Amino acid sequence: CPPYEHYGLIFHTATKLTSKNYRQFTNFIKKTVKVQVSLRHPLNMEDAGKSSRMTYGNYLRLEEMLTLQDGPEGYLPEPCNDEKHFIIVHQAFELWFKLVLSELKEVHSLMNSQNISENSMPKIVHHLDRVSTVFGLMSQQWKVMETLTPQDFLSFRDRLGTSSGFESWQLRQIEIILGLEQQQRDAGMDPLSHMKKLEKEGKISPIMLTEFEEMINSPSLNKLLNDWLSRTPINGSLPSDSNDEQIVSDYIESHLDAMKTHSEMVISHFKSIGHGDDSTLGDRLNKSILGAREFLLPNEKPNRARAGLLFIESYRELPLLSWPTALIDSFVELEESILLFRNSHARMVERMIGRRMGTGGSSGVDYLDATLKYRIFVDLWAVRTILVKRDLLPDVTKSDYYGFNSQV
């Protein structure tokens, strides 16, 4: 509160005091005023004593941080310059992973709701875009590792023992929070089992294992994204509407009809230039339409999340869908940046050690190449196969629903 707000009452009380008590009371008031003023107008940093001045070094705990590049305690002989380079680059990766996890946890917090606020959408996109930028930076960071020649690395590789990049629990947590399923992983690569083994050996703390298990048991971002897509208003219809399933089915059929129209136009064009015939082209395009039907109507029941995704991608120009479109683009950008990061990692390792076995016993580059097949947001990529150009699509029903909100 303002420093003098209650002083009228205080001085009114003071008039009833004896002279001795009055002197004591006024001294108290003077000290109080000084404290209040100092709180509202703190001293400049340059006026503070040396012990309380914040510096670049102590803010970042720089001196402590710069003592951590010499390997584990008792590690002798001390790392040579090339090994120190190896340590620093990987520590930098782990710091970036920490930032990525922090950003993804923020996204998870914002999306883990039955109703994602429109005000949250720009925040979610912002966090995802930051993560994509970090992965883009880390892809380039592998170039720093490539300044090690194969012989430079082999000179200290044996000192790594059985340690492996697979033991980077932060990268494994990133995969898990995004939604990579265990069955998608390369055979034998079970991060939870490995984490339990490390904890049993005392190589990681029980706290880290508990945090890892909690993340596995939480809904992934892929799950939250699909839940959100399933709530997309399709032609003005919401999942809670009594005739929603029929409206969604009709929308899907109208899109499949547009695909058929487009296929006929493609066949006609190819025939006009003497490139292909009805049979060859027709079979290929019909398979595409059948694939679209299976994608949108598995077991002949509408998949509302996929229908919602298709609706957003097809009518991107609608004002109400501008942020949903940006959100989908951000997830696609994120997965692309991770794939590029993995590829840069694999090529760096191949350049350095060829196809030999990894230090942790994995197949080395073959394992890293297998991770390039990992896809989490599969539907976001698959829907692009069945998109149709806008002028062949039917107009949106209840288009006013998707316009700008005119209310102030």
Side-chain angles (χ1 to χ4, degrees):
C1 64
Y4 305 108
E5 192 172 67
H6 304 298
Y7 287 175
L9 176 60
I10 292 173
F11 280 109
H12 175 74
T13 304
T15 58
K16 303 181 183 300
L17 299 173
T18 64
S19 60
K20 179 180 179 181
N21 288 339
Y22 184 81
R23 285 194 299 273
Q24 293 174 343
F25 185 80
T26 53
N27 287 334
F28 167 77
I29 290 298
K30 290 176 182 177
K31 291 178 181 178
T32 303
V33 172
K34 184 181 290 186
V35 170
Q36 289 278 358
V37 171
S38 67
L39 287 174
R40 292 175 67 80
H41 303 284
L43 293 173
N44 292 329
M45 293 297 289
E46 61 187 13
D47 296 329
K50 290 183 179 179
S51 62
S52 62
R53 189 174 81 83
M54 181 64 74
T55 66
Y56 177 84
N58 60 31
Y59 178 73
L60 296 177
R61 298 171 67 178
L62 195 55
E63 191 169 346
E64 179 184 354
M65 185 183 76
L66 295 178
T67 63
L68 302 177
Q69 288 72 51
D70 296 325
E73 189 174 348
Y75 189 69
L76 294 173
E78 291 186 2
C80 65
N81 186 66
D82 287 329
E83 185 176 3
K84 188 164 290 191
H85 161 264
F86 183 89
I87 292 170
I88 290 171
V89 170
H90 282 80
Q91 285 184 344
F93 275 123
E94 291 297 332
L95 286 173
W96 286 125
F97 291 158
K98 183 171 184 176
L99 175 60
V100 166
L101 270 174
S102 177
E103 298 294 328
L104 292 179
K105 286 176 181 177
E106 286 294 317
V107 173
H108 192 280
S109 176
L110 291 167
M111 292 191 67
N112 193 14
S113 170
Q114 288 298 316
N115 181 27
I116 301 176
S117 165
E118 286 188 24
N119 293 333
S120 297
M121 298 294 281
K123 298 176 185 177
I124 295 171
V125 170
H126 170 71
H127 290 303
L128 291 173
D129 288 350
R130 178 176 288 168
V131 171
S132 296
T133 301
V134 171
F135 269 105
L137 175 63
M138 289 193 292
S139 292
Q140 294 302 312
Q141 195 167 299
W142 290 119
K143 300 299 291 184
V144 181
M145 279 295 295
E146 290 179 0
T147 62
L148 276 177
T149 68
Q151 284 295 339
D152 290 339
F153 181 52
L154 290 175
S155 69
F156 65 84
R157 185 176 187 248
D158 290 342
R159 301 189 77 188
L160 303 180
T162 60
S163 61
S164 165
F166 183 72
E167 295 173 339
S168 170
W169 62 79
Q170 289 196 115
L171 184 52
R172 303 289 81 81
Q173 283 181 305
I174 290 169
E175 294 170 343
I176 289 166
I177 195 173
L178 287 173
L180 183 65
E181 302 289 345
Q182 178 56 37
Q183 60 266 28
Q184 294 177 266
R185 294 185 183 276
D186 197 42
M189 294 300 187
D190 183 350
L192 180 58
S193 295
H194 198 71
M195 287 287 286
K196 288 180 177 178
K197 179 182 177 183
L198 291 176
E199 192 272 336
K200 188 175 181 180
E201 295 173 354
K203 301 299 184 181
I204 63 168
S205 69
I207 294 174
M208 293 307 306
L209 177 59
T210 299
E211 184 178 328
F212 201 83
E213 290 174 325
E214 287 175 351
M215 189 165 288
I216 288 177
N217 293 325
S218 298
S220 69
L221 285 174
N222 189 38
K223 171 68 165 58
L224 297 177
L225 176 63
N226 277 296
D227 289 347
W228 171 74
L229 285 170
S230 71
R231 300 191 294 269
T232 302
I234 297 175
N235 278 332
S237 178
L238 297 170
S240 57
D241 294 347
S242 59
N243 60 341
D244 177 69
E245 186 172 336
Q246 185 61 53
I247 290 175
V248 174
S249 295
D250 291 345
Y251 163 68
I252 291 173
E253 292 298 338
S254 70
H255 186 86
L256 294 174
D257 288 342
M259 288 187 70
K260 292 174 186 175
T261 301
H262 181 253
S263 295
E264 292 167 1
M265 293 171 62
V266 170
I267 292 172
S268 176
H269 171 69
F270 271 71
K271 286 175 63 179
S272 70
I273 61 175
H275 193 74
D277 54 58
D278 281 350
S279 177
T280 303
L281 294 171
D283 287 348
R284 189 175 301 167
L285 291 168
N286 283 335
K287 285 180 181 178
S288 176
I289 295 170
L290 285 174
R293 178 174 288 279
E294 291 172 3
F295 179 75
L296 296 167
L297 294 163
N299 302 316
E300 295 302 315
K301 295 282 288 183
N303 183 310
R304 209 182 189 290
R306 290 173 176 174
L309 171 62
L310 177 64
F311 188 84
I312 294 170
E313 287 285 7
S314 297
Y315 301 102
R316 296 168 69 97
E317 77 281 1
L318 297 176
L320 187 67
L321 300 182
S322 58
W323 277 112
T325 296
L327 179 61
I328 291 169
D329 287 346
S330 292
F331 272 109
V332 172
E333 177 73 19
L334 169 56
E335 184 146 60
E336 183 180 7
S337 69
I338 293 174
L339 289 169
L340 293 172
F341 166 79
R342 291 189 190 278
N343 185 62
S344 296
H345 183 195
R347 302 288 68 79
M348 180 278 295
V349 172
E350 185 177 13
R351 175 173 173 167
M352 198 167 292
I353 65 169
R355 293 275 167 178
R356 70 179 69 203
M357 184 177 71
T359 50
S362 75
S363 56
V365 173
D366 289 340
Y367 162 69
L368 295 176
D369 281 339
T371 67
L372 298 177
K373 300 176 183 177
Y374 292 173
R375 292 295 179 94
I376 297 169
F377 306 103
V378 179
D379 288 354
L380 303 192
W381 298 89
V383 74
R384 283 152 169 71
T385 307
I386 65 173
L387 293 177
V388 177
K389 60 181 181 178
R390 181 65 181 86
D391 57 4
L392 289 181
L393 295 174
D395 291 333
V396 174
T397 306
K398 298 181 181 179
S399 57
D400 289 348
Y401 181 94
Y402 300 93
F404 287 109
N405 187 349
S406 60
Q407 295 181 358
V408 177

